[in-house]
Amino acid sequence: MAAYQKERIENAICFFAYEHHKRTDKHPYQTYIYKYLSFFEFNVLKETGESPLGLAFKAMEHGPVPPDIYYEREEIKSNLFSFDKQNDGKFIVKALKKPDLDYFSDYEIAEMAKLIDIYAKKWVTSKMMSDSSHKKIKAWDKAWKRKPNSMINKSDTFDNLFSKDENQLSSQEEHFLISASLEKSISN
């Protein structure tokens, strides 16, 4: 696990729950949080070649979902947020305090704020966010077409990544390949 990865993930969840509630006066359902996290992860990955949270995602019917959070949501203990099960069986996410944004770069904070500006509106439904994730997150689409509910390959964010010559790679693609091979060598 990368340095401060847990803190970054928890503060990102807290940020999205806190800001969504502030703008809409409603605690977001878990689906909103999963979409915010996936848009953040894949937008930054596409623009920089870097995975900001290091979360794995599964290509589920309603878009990318981080299984480590989804399947553990009732057991997650955080002083920053909680997943609260409602009487209808659905989960809302409550920010328990303000997030600590010192874990993020100015660029990352701006990206998170941009997502809040786009989606934290009373009229934006979780279905609308899910539909948007289907259109905007290319890696979800490729994984879903390969096999529904399969894990998403982050390399699918980039077109024909492994068939390009070295001199055809964008700086984002180069950065992604270097980061991915470093991660692989560390985990071995």
Side-chain angles (χ1 to χ4, degrees), residues 72-85:
E72 300 298 322
R73 65 189 179 264
E74 291 185 76
E75 285 78 38
I76 293 174
K77 302 290 182 232
S78 174
N79 64 345
L80 295 172
F81 64 88
S82 63
F83 279 81
D84 295 348
K85 193 171 192 173

Side-chain angles (χ1 to χ4, degrees), residues 1-17:
M1 184 178 281
Y4 300 111
Q5 183 178 13
K6 180 180 186 287
E7 291 85 352
R8 287 172 55 81
I9 292 167
E10 287 191 4
N11 278 284
I13 293 169
C14 181
F15 174 86
F16 290 125

Side-chain angles (χ1 to χ4, degrees), residues 150-175:
S150 63
M151 294 305 291
I152 296 174
N153 295 327
K154 289 187 179 171
S155 61
D156 285 339
T157 300
F158 308 101
D159 289 325
N160 306 314
L161 182 63
F162 299 109
S163 62
K164 290 182 178 178
D165 289 332
E166 201 175 295
N167 58 356
Q168 295 175 312
L169 295 171
S170 68
S171 60
Q172 295 88 343
E173 291 168 331
E174 280 184 22
H175 188 80

